[in-house]
Amino acid sequence: MKYSEEKLSDEALVKKLPRFENHYISVNDIKLHYVKGGTGKPLFLLPGWPQTWWSYHEVMNKLSDFYTVIAIDIRGMGTTDKPIEGYDKKSMAKDIYELIIELGYDEVFVAGHDIGASVAYSLACDYPDKVAKLIILDTPPADENMYRLPMLPLMDLTDKSTGYTYPWWVAFNQIDELPEKLLKGRYNVVLDYIFDNLCFDKGAITDFDRAVYTNAYERDNAISASNKWYSTFPKDIADSKDNKVLKMPVLGIGGSGFKLLEMALPGLVENLQLFEIKDCGHFICEEAPEATFNEMINFLGS
């Protein structure tokens, strides 16, 4: 089904969440888009590739009963600016830090998924006085183990029974210019592959959701910006060597990425809780919104 750009716009999307409103603000030399609603302590939600703030729409309304929810298009995402530089996670964390300051908050709760999890982790490391509690959703931050990712698949990709998905996009998104030439105007090819292969329930990301993300990513500047989230991993890994063990409470919620959280987070966090969602893929807010919401509430409290 085809959807018009108007129906896929932030203005149209936010009408589906009547408690929320669109906002734009200048921070760290970029214009940043966020969606805000609810009352109570501030909870920042940071999405990842290949999505936008919309990735949290299944849990935002319920969360807004308890918190002031702020879902953010991180640097290079959605209708946030897409500058040439600044995609290392320390720089992206500074965007969020400046947003905290501009909105007048002393400290916030932060949850991040995928690339957003790396930004959230960097925010907690660099500005620990601003992060009261941290939630990492299915993806640990980049570390030196990424250099050990194999050039060849570890298993037979034709054998679907293994549940193994070869993470080819980590390398593909390192490349300059080629992804834009291949994918401009047809980013749905990548999106469908990712959602079909990283979801336990393929229908959890609907045709409409996929159209939202295709509309957000298929332009060349959007493809280039999202690639830079990956091409800056070497800097992120180098920067991480100076990080101290986090002292604030941290929750890791994982579906298919739970084992990675279980291996990575204990060495990074002093006060850690872990929760596994069974029979769930990578996109836990869509595949298991009830379980994700419940664990977030139980952890964050009031």
Side-chain angles (χ1 to χ4, degrees), residues 6-56:
E6 183 179 357
K7 289 186 177 181
L8 302 174
S9 67
D10 290 324
E11 291 73 19
L13 294 176
V14 83
K15 289 178 181 177
K16 297 177 181 292
L17 302 171
R19 298 181 183 182
F20 288 84
E21 294 181 347
N22 283 306
H23 297 271
Y24 291 88
I25 193 169
S26 294
V27 294
N28 202 20
D29 298 323
I30 65 168
K31 183 179 73 174
L32 185 145
H33 170 248
Y34 64 95
V35 175
K36 180 181 178 183
T39 58
K41 293 181 179 178
L43 168 59
F44 282 32
L45 304 177
L46 309 184
W49 182 84
Q51 297 181 288
T52 67
W53 71 269
W54 182 248
S55 66
Y56 288 101

CSV table of all heavy atoms in Angstrom, one decimal, residues 6-56:
chain,number,residue,atom,x,y,z
A,6,GLU,N,2.4,13.2,3.3
A,6,GLU,CA,1.7,14.0,4.3
A,6,GLU,C,1.2,13.0,5.4
A,6,GLU,O,1.3,13.4,6.6
A,6,GLU,CB,0.4,14.6,3.6
A,6,GLU,CG,-0.4,15.4,4.6
A,6,GLU,CD,-1.6,16.1,4.0
A,6,GLU,OE1,-1.8,15.9,2.7
A,6,GLU,OE2,-2.4,16.7,4.7
A,7,LYS,N,0.8,11.8,5.1
A,7,LYS,CA,0.4,10.9,6.1
A,7,LYS,C,1.5,10.3,6.9
A,7,LYS,O,1.3,9.7,8.0
A,7,LYS,CB,-0.4,9.7,5.4
A,7,LYS,CG,-1.8,10.2,4.9
A,7,LYS,CD,-2.6,9.0,4.4
A,7,LYS,CE,-4.0,9.4,4.0
A,7,LYS,NZ,-4.8,8.3,3.5
A,8,LEU,N,2.7,10.4,6.3
A,8,LEU,CA,3.9,9.9,7.0
A,8,LEU,C,4.7,10.9,7.7
A,8,LEU,O,5.7,10.6,8.4
A,8,LEU,CB,4.8,9.2,5.9
A,8,LEU,CG,4.2,8.1,5.1
A,8,LEU,CD1,5.1,7.6,4.0
A,8,LEU,CD2,3.8,6.9,6.0
A,9,SER,N,4.2,12.2,7.7
A,9,SER,CA,4.9,13.3,8.3
A,9,SER,C,4.8,13.2,9.9
A,9,SER,O,3.9,12.6,10.4
A,9,SER,CB,4.3,14.6,7.8
A,9,SER,OG,3.0,14.8,8.3
A,10,ASP,N,5.7,13.9,10.5
A,10,ASP,CA,5.7,14.0,12.0
A,10,ASP,C,4.3,14.6,12.5
A,10,ASP,O,3.8,14.2,13.5
A,10,ASP,CB,6.8,14.8,12.5
A,10,ASP,CG,8.2,14.2,12.4
A,10,ASP,OD1,8.2,12.9,12.5
A,10,ASP,OD2,9.1,14.9,12.1
A,11,GLU,N,3.8,15.5,11.7
A,11,GLU,CA,2.6,16.2,12.1
A,11,GLU,C,1.4,15.2,12.0
A,11,GLU,O,0.5,15.2,12.9
A,11,GLU,CB,2.3,17.4,11.1
A,11,GLU,CG,3.2,18.6,11.3
A,11,GLU,CD,4.6,18.3,10.7
A,11,GLU,OE1,4.8,17.4,9.9
A,11,GLU,OE2,5.5,19.0,11.1
A,12,ALA,N,1.4,14.3,11.0
A,12,ALA,CA,0.4,13.3,10.9
A,12,ALA,C,0.6,12.2,12.0
A,12,ALA,O,-0.4,11.7,12.6
A,12,ALA,CB,0.3,12.7,9.6
A,13,LEU,N,1.8,11.8,12.2
A,13,LEU,CA,2.1,10.7,13.1
A,13,LEU,C,1.7,11.1,14.6
A,13,LEU,O,1.1,10.3,15.3
A,13,LEU,CB,3.6,10.3,13.1
A,13,LEU,CG,4.0,9.7,11.8
A,13,LEU,CD1,5.5,9.5,11.8
A,13,LEU,CD2,3.3,8.4,11.5
A,14,VAL,N,2.0,12.3,15.0
A,14,VAL,CA,1.8,12.7,16.3
A,14,VAL,C,0.3,12.8,16.6
A,14,VAL,O,-0.1,12.7,17.8
A,14,VAL,CB,2.5,14.1,16.6
A,14,VAL,CG1,1.7,15.3,16.2
A,14,VAL,CG2,2.9,14.2,18.1
A,15,LYS,N,-0.5,13.0,15.6
A,15,LYS,CA,-2.0,13.0,15.8
A,15,LYS,C,-2.5,11.6,16.2
A,15,LYS,O,-3.6,11.5,16.8
A,15,LYS,CB,-2.7,13.5,14.5
A,15,LYS,CG,-2.5,15.0,14.2
A,15,LYS,CD,-3.2,15.4,12.9
A,15,LYS,CE,-3.0,16.8,12.7
A,15,LYS,NZ,-3.5,17.3,11.4
A,16,LYS,N,-1.7,10.6,15.9
A,16,LYS,CA,-2.1,9.2,16.3
A,16,LYS,C,-1.8,9.0,17.8
A,16,LYS,O,-2.2,8.0,18.4
A,16,LYS,CB,-1.3,8.2,15.5
A,16,LYS,CG,-1.7,8.2,14.0
A,16,LYS,CD,-0.9,7.2,13.2
A,16,LYS,CE,-1.2,7.2,11.8
A,16,LYS,NZ,-2.6,6.7,11.5
A,17,LEU,N,-1.0,10.0,18.4
A,17,LEU,CA,-0.7,9.9,19.8
A,17,LEU,C,-1.2,11.3,20.4
A,17,LEU,O,-0.4,12.2,20.6
A,17,LEU,CB,0.8,9.8,20.0
A,17,LEU,CG,1.4,8.5,19.4
A,17,LEU,CD1,3.0,8.6,19.5
A,17,LEU,CD2,0.9,7.3,20.1
A,18,PRO,N,-2.5,11.4,20.7
A,18,PRO,CA,-3.0,12.7,21.1
A,18,PRO,C,-2.4,13.4,22.3
A,18,PRO,O,-2.7,14.6,22.5
A,18,PRO,CB,-4.5,12.4,21.2
A,18,PRO,CG,-4.6,10.9,21.4
A,18,PRO,CD,-3.5,10.3,20.7
A,19,ARG,N,-1.7,12.7,23.1
A,19,ARG,CA,-1.1,13.3,24.3
A,19,ARG,C,0.2,14.0,23.9
A,19,ARG,O,0.8,14.7,24.8
A,19,ARG,CB,-0.8,12.3,25.4
A,19,ARG,CG,-2.0,11.6,25.9
A,19,ARG,CD,-1.6,10.6,27.0
A,19,ARG,NE,-2.8,9.8,27.5
A,19,ARG,CZ,-2.7,8.9,28.4
A,19,ARG,NH1,-1.5,8.7,29.0
A,19,ARG,NH2,-3.8,8.2,28.8
A,20,PHE,N,0.7,13.9,22.7
A,20,PHE,CA,2.0,14.3,22.3
A,20,PHE,C,2.0,15.5,21.3
A,20,PHE,O,1.0,15.6,20.6
A,20,PHE,CB,2.8,13.2,21.8
A,20,PHE,CG,3.2,12.2,22.9
A,20,PHE,CD1,2.3,11.2,23.2
A,20,PHE,CD2,4.4,12.2,23.5
A,20,PHE,CE1,2.7,10.2,24.2
A,20,PHE,CE2,4.8,11.3,24.5
A,20,PHE,CZ,3.9,10.3,24.8
A,21,GLU,N,3.1,16.2,21.3
A,21,GLU,CA,3.2,17.3,20.4
A,21,GLU,C,4.7,17.3,19.8
A,21,GLU,O,5.6,16.9,20.5
A,21,GLU,CB,3.0,18.7,21.0
A,21,GLU,CG,1.6,18.9,21.5
A,21,GLU,CD,1.4,20.3,22.1
A,21,GLU,OE1,2.4,20.9,22.5
A,21,GLU,OE2,0.2,20.7,22.4
A,22,ASN,N,4.8,17.8,18.6
A,22,ASN,CA,6.1,17.9,18.0
A,22,ASN,C,6.8,19.2,18.5
A,22,ASN,O,6.2,20.2,18.7
A,22,ASN,CB,6.0,18.1,16.4
A,22,ASN,CG,5.7,16.8,15.8
A,22,ASN,OD1,6.4,15.8,15.9
A,22,ASN,ND2,4.7,16.7,15.0
A,23,HIS,N,8.1,19.1,18.6
A,23,HIS,CA,8.9,20.3,19.0
A,23,HIS,C,10.3,20.2,18.2
A,23,HIS,O,10.8,19.2,17.8
A,23,HIS,CB,9.3,20.2,20.5
A,23,HIS,CG,8.1,20.3,21.3
A,23,HIS,ND1,7.5,21.5,21.8
A,23,HIS,CD2,7.3,19.4,21.9
A,23,HIS,CE1,6.5,21.3,22.5
A,23,HIS,NE2,6.3,20.0,22.6
A,24,TYR,N,10.8,21.4,18.0
A,24,TYR,CA,12.1,21.6,17.4
A,24,TYR,C,12.9,22.5,18.3
A,24,TYR,O,12.4,23.5,18.8
A,24,TYR,CB,12.1,22.1,16.0
A,24,TYR,CG,11.5,21.1,15.0
A,24,TYR,CD1,10.1,21.1,14.8
A,24,TYR,CD2,12.3,20.3,14.3
A,24,TYR,CE1,9.6,20.2,13.9
A,24,TYR,CE2,11.8,19.4,13.4
A,24,TYR,CZ,10.4,19.3,13.2
A,24,TYR,OH,9.9,18.4,12.3
A,25,ILE,N,14.2,22.3,18.4
A,25,ILE,CA,15.1,23.1,19.3
A,25,ILE,C,16.5,23.1,18.7
A,25,ILE,O,16.9,22.1,18.2
A,25,ILE,CB,15.0,22.6,20.7
A,25,ILE,CG1,15.6,23.6,21.7
A,25,ILE,CG2,15.7,21.2,20.9
A,25,ILE,CD1,15.4,23.2,23.2
A,26,SER,N,17.2,24.2,18.9
A,26,SER,CA,18.6,24.2,18.5
A,26,SER,C,19.5,23.9,19.6
A,26,SER,O,19.5,24.5,20.7
A,26,SER,CB,18.9,25.7,18.0
A,26,SER,OG,18.2,26.0,16.8
A,27,VAL,N,20.3,22.8,19.4
A,27,VAL,CA,21.3,22.4,20.4
A,27,VAL,C,22.6,21.9,19.7
A,27,VAL,O,22.5,21.4,18.6
A,27,VAL,CB,20.8,21.2,21.3
A,27,VAL,CG1,19.6,21.6,22.1
A,27,VAL,CG2,20.4,20.0,20.4
A,28,ASN,N,23.7,22.3,20.3
A,28,ASN,CA,25.0,21.8,19.7
A,28,ASN,C,25.1,22.0,18.2
A,28,ASN,O,25.6,21.2,17.5
A,28,ASN,CB,25.2,20.3,20.1
A,28,ASN,CG,26.6,19.8,20.1
A,28,ASN,OD1,27.5,20.7,20.2
A,28,ASN,ND2,26.8,18.5,19.9
A,29,ASP,N,24.6,23.2,17.8
A,29,ASP,CA,24.7,23.6,16.4
A,29,ASP,C,23.9,22.8,15.4
A,29,ASP,O,24.1,22.8,14.2
A,29,ASP,CB,26.2,23.6,15.9
A,29,ASP,CG,27.1,24.5,16.7
A,29,ASP,OD1,26.6,25.6,17.0
A,29,ASP,OD2,28.2,24.2,16.9
A,30,ILE,N,22.8,22.1,15.9
A,30,ILE,CA,21.9,21.5,15.0
A,30,ILE,C,20.5,21.8,15.5
A,30,ILE,O,20.2,22.1,16.6
A,30,ILE,CB,22.1,19.9,15.0
A,30,ILE,CG1,21.8,19.3,16.3
A,30,ILE,CG2,23.4,19.6,14.4
A,30,ILE,CD1,21.7,17.8,16.3
A,31,LYS,N,19.5,21.6,14.6
A,31,LYS,CA,18.1,21.7,14.9
A,31,LYS,C,17.6,20.2,15.2
A,31,LYS,O,17.7,19.4,14.3
A,31,LYS,CB,17.3,22.3,13.8
A,31,LYS,CG,15.8,22.4,14.1
A,31,LYS,CD,15.0,23.1,13.0
A,31,LYS,CE,14.8,22.1,11.9
A,31,LYS,NZ,13.9,22.6,10.8
A,32,LEU,N,17.2,20.0,16.4
A,32,LEU,CA,16.8,18.6,16.8
A,32,LEU,C,15.3,18.5,17.0
A,32,LEU,O,14.6,19.4,17.5
A,32,LEU,CB,17.5,18.3,18.1
A,32,LEU,CG,17.4,16.9,18.7
A,32,LEU,CD1,18.7,16.5,19.4
A,32,LEU,CD2,16.2,16.8,19.7
A,33,HIS,N,14.7,17.5,16.5
A,33,HIS,CA,13.3,17.2,16.6
A,33,HIS,C,13.0,16.2,17.7
A,33,HIS,O,13.7,15.2,17.9
A,33,HIS,CB,12.7,16.6,15.3
A,33,HIS,CG,11.3,16.1,15.4
A,33,HIS,ND1,11.0,14.8,15.3
A,33,HIS,CD2,10.2,16.8,15.6
A,33,HIS,CE1,9.7,14.6,15.4
A,33,HIS,NE2,9.2,15.8,15.6
A,34,TYR,N,12.0,16.6,18.5
A,34,TYR,CA,11.5,15.6,19.5
A,34,TYR,C,10.0,15.7,19.7
A,34,TYR,O,9.4,16.7,19.3
A,34,TYR,CB,12.2,15.9,20.8
A,34,TYR,CG,11.9,17.2,21.5
A,34,TYR,CD1,11.0,17.3,22.5
A,34,TYR,CD2,12.7,18.3,21.2
A,34,TYR,CE1,10.7,18.5,23.1
A,34,TYR,CE2,12.5,19.5,21.8
A,34,TYR,CZ,11.5,19.6,22.8
A,34,TYR,OH,11.2,20.9,23.4
A,35,VAL,N,9.4,14.7,20.2
A,35,VAL,CA,8.0,14.6,20.5
A,35,VAL,C,7.8,14.4,22.0
A,35,VAL,O,8.5,13.6,22.6
A,35,VAL,CB,7.4,13.4,19.7
A,35,VAL,CG1,5.9,13.2,20.1
A,35,VAL,CG2,7.6,13.5,18.2
A,36,LYS,N,7.0,15.3,22.6
A,36,LYS,CA,6.9,15.4,24.0
A,36,LYS,C,5.4,15.2,24.5
A,36,LYS,O,4.5,15.8,23.9
A,36,LYS,CB,7.5,16.7,24.5
A,36,LYS,CG,7.4,16.9,26.0
A,36,LYS,CD,8.0,18.3,26.3
A,36,LYS,CE,8.0,18.6,27.8
A,36,LYS,NZ,8.5,19.9,28.2
A,37,GLY,N,5.2,14.5,25.6
A,37,GLY,CA,3.9,14.4,26.2
A,37,GLY,C,3.9,13.8,27.5
A,37,GLY,O,4.9,13.1,27.9
A,38,GLY,N,2.9,13.9,28.3
A,38,GLY,CA,2.8,13.3,29.6
A,38,GLY,C,3.2,14.2,30.7
A,38,GLY,O,3.5,15.4,30.5
A,39,THR,N,3.2,13.7,32.0
A,39,THR,CA,3.6,14.5,33.1
A,39,THR,C,4.4,13.6,34.0
A,39,THR,O,4.3,12.4,34.0
A,39,THR,CB,2.3,15.0,33.9
A,39,THR,OG1,1.5,13.8,34.3
A,39,THR,CG2,1.5,15.9,33.1
A,40,GLY,N,5.2,14.3,34.9
A,40,GLY,CA,6.0,13.5,35.8
A,40,GLY,C,7.5,13.7,35.4
A,40,GLY,O,7.9,14.6,34.7
A,41,LYS,N,8.3,12.9,36.0
A,41,LYS,CA,9.8,12.9,35.8
A,41,LYS,C,10.1,12.7,34.3
A,41,LYS,O,9.4,11.9,33.6
A,41,LYS,CB,10.5,11.9,36.6
A,41,LYS,CG,10.4,12.2,38.1
A,41,LYS,CD,11.2,11.2,38.9
A,41,LYS,CE,11.2,11.5,40.4
A,41,LYS,NZ,11.9,10.4,41.2
A,42,PRO,N,11.1,13.4,33.7
A,42,PRO,CA,11.4,13.3,32.3
A,42,PRO,C,12.0,11.9,32.0
A,42,PRO,O,12.9,11.5,32.6
A,42,PRO,CB,12.3,14.4,32.0
A,42,PRO,CG,12.9,14.7,33.4
A,42,PRO,CD,11.9,14.4,34.4
A,43,LEU,N,11.5,11.3,30.9
A,43,LEU,CA,12.0,10.1,30.4
A,43,LEU,C,12.4,10.3,28.9
A,43,LEU,O,11.5,10.5,28.1
A,43,LEU,CB,11.0,8.9,30.5
A,43,LEU,CG,11.3,7.6,29.7
A,43,LEU,CD1,12.6,7.0,30.2
A,43,LEU,CD2,10.2,6.6,29.9
A,44,PHE,N,13.7,10.3,28.6
A,44,PHE,CA,14.1,10.5,27.2
A,44,PHE,C,14.2,9.1,26.5
A,44,PHE,O,14.8,8.2,27.1
A,44,PHE,CB,15.5,11.1,27.2
A,44,PHE,CG,15.5,12.6,27.4
A,44,PHE,CD1,14.6,13.2,28.2
A,44,PHE,CD2,16.5,13.4,26.8
A,44,PHE,CE1,14.6,14.6,28.4
A,44,PHE,CE2,16.5,14.8,27.0
A,44,PHE,CZ,15.5,15.4,27.8
A,45,LEU,N,13.7,9.0,25.3
A,45,LEU,CA,13.7,7.8,24.5
A,45,LEU,C,14.5,8.0,23.2
A,45,LEU,O,14.2,8.9,22.4
A,45,LEU,CB,12.3,7.4,24.1
A,45,LEU,CG,11.3,7.2,25.3
A,45,LEU,CD1,9.9,6.8,24.7
A,45,LEU,CD2,11.8,6.1,26.2
A,46,LEU,N,15.6,7.3,23.0
A,46,LEU,CA,16.5,7.4,21.9
A,46,LEU,C,16.4,6.2,21.0
A,46,LEU,O,16.7,5.1,21.4
A,46,LEU,CB,17.9,7.6,22.4
A,46,LEU,CG,18.2,8.6,23.5
A,46,LEU,CD1,19.7,8.7,23.8
A,46,LEU,CD2,17.6,10.0,23.1
A,47,PRO,N,16.0,6.4,19.7
A,47,PRO,CA,15.8,5.3,18.8
A,47,PRO,C,17.1,4.9,18.1
A,47,PRO,O,18.1,5.6,18.3
A,47,PRO,CB,14.8,5.8,17.8
A,47,PRO,CG,14.5,7.2,18.2
A,47,PRO,CD,15.5,7.7,19.2
A,48,GLY,N,17.0,3.9,17.3
A,48,GLY,CA,18.2,3.5,16.5
A,48,GLY,C,17.9,3.2,15.0
A,48,GLY,O,16.8,3.5,14.6
A,49,TRP,N,18.9,2.7,14.4
A,49,TRP,CA,18.8,2.3,12.9
A,49,TRP,C,18.0,1.1,12.8
A,49,TRP,O,18.1,0.1,13.6
A,49,TRP,CB,20.2,2.1,12.4
A,49,TRP,CG,20.2,1.8,10.9
A,49,TRP,CD1,20.2,2.7,9.9
A,49,TRP,CD2,20.3,0.5,10.3
A,49,TRP,NE1,20.3,2.1,8.7
A,49,TRP,CE2,20.4,0.7,8.9
A,49,TRP,CE3,20.3,-0.8,10.8
A,49,TRP,CZ2,20.4,-0.3,8.0
A,49,TRP,CZ3,20.4,-1.8,9.9
A,49,TRP,CH2,20.5,-1.6,8.5
A,50,PRO,N,17.1,1.0,11.8
A,50,PRO,CA,16.8,2.0,10.8
A,50,PRO,C,15.4,2.6,11.0
A,50,PRO,O,14.5,2.5,10.3
A,50,PRO,CB,16.7,1.2,9.5
A,50,PRO,CG,16.2,-0.2,9.9
A,50,PRO,CD,16.6,-0.3,11.4
A,51,GLN,N,15.3,3.3,12.2
A,51,GLN,CA,14.0,3.8,12.6
A,51,GLN,C,14.1,5.3,13.0
A,51,GLN,O,15.1,5.9,12.7
A,51,GLN,CB,13.5,3.0,13.8
A,51,GLN,CG,13.3,1.5,13.5
A,51,GLN,CD,12.8,0.7,14.6
A,51,GLN,OE1,13.5,0.4,15.5
A,51,GLN,NE2,11.5,0.3,14.6
A,52,THR,N,13.0,5.8,13.6
A,52,THR,CA,12.9,7.2,14.1
A,52,THR,C,12.2,7.1,15.4
A,52,THR,O,12.0,6.1,16.0
A,52,THR,CB,12.1,8.0,13.1
A,52,THR,OG1,10.7,7.6,13.2
A,52,THR,CG2,12.6,8.0,11.7
A,53,TRP,N,11.8,8.3,15.9
A,53,TRP,CA,11.1,8.4,17.2
A,53,TRP,C,9.9,7.5,17.2
A,53,TRP,O,9.4,7.0,18.3
A,53,TRP,CB,10.7,9.8,17.5
A,53,TRP,CG,9.6,10.4,16.6
A,53,TRP,CD1,9.8,11.0,15.4
A,53,TRP,CD2,8.2,10.2,16.8
A,53,TRP,NE1,8.5,11.3,14.9
A,53,TRP,CE2,7.6,10.9,15.7
A,53,TRP,CE3,7.4,9.7,17.8
A,53,TRP,CZ2,6.2,10.9,15.6
A,53,TRP,CZ3,6.0,9.7,17.7
A,53,TRP,CH2,5.4,10.4,16.6
A,54,TRP,N,9.3,7.2,16.0
A,54,TRP,CA,8.1,6.4,15.9
A,54,TRP,C,8.3,5.0,16.4
A,54,TRP,O,7.3,4.4,16.7
A,54,TRP,CB,7.7,6.4,14.4
A,54,TRP,CG,6.4,5.7,14.1
A,54,TRP,CD1,6.3,4.5,13.4
A,54,TRP,CD2,5.1,6.0,14.5
A,54,TRP,NE1,4.9,4.1,13.4
A,54,TRP,CE2,4.2,5.0,14.0
A,54,TRP,CE3,4.5,7.1,15.2
A,54,TRP,CZ2,2.8,5.1,14.2
A,54,TRP,CZ3,3.1,7.1,15.4
A,54,TRP,CH2,2.3,6.1,14.9
A,55,SER,N,9.5,4.6,16.6
A,55,SER,CA,9.7,3.2,17.0
A,55,SER,C,9.2,3.0,18.4
A,55,SER,O,9.0,1.8,18.8
A,55,SER,CB,11.2,2.9,17.0
A,55,SER,OG,12.0,3.7,17.9
A,56,TYR,N,9.0,4.0,19.2
A,56,TYR,CA,8.5,3.9,20.6
A,56,TYR,C,7.0,4.1,20.6
A,56,TYR,O,6.4,4.2,21.8
A,56,TYR,CB,9.2,5.0,21.5
A,56,TYR,CG,10.6,4.6,21.7
A,56,TYR,CD1,11.6,5.3,21.1
A,56,TYR,CD2,11.0,3.7,22.7
A,56,TYR,CE1,13.0,5.0,21.3
A,56,TYR,CE2,12.3,3.4,23.0
A,56,TYR,CZ,13.3,4.1,22.3
A,56,TYR,OH,14.6,3.8,22.6
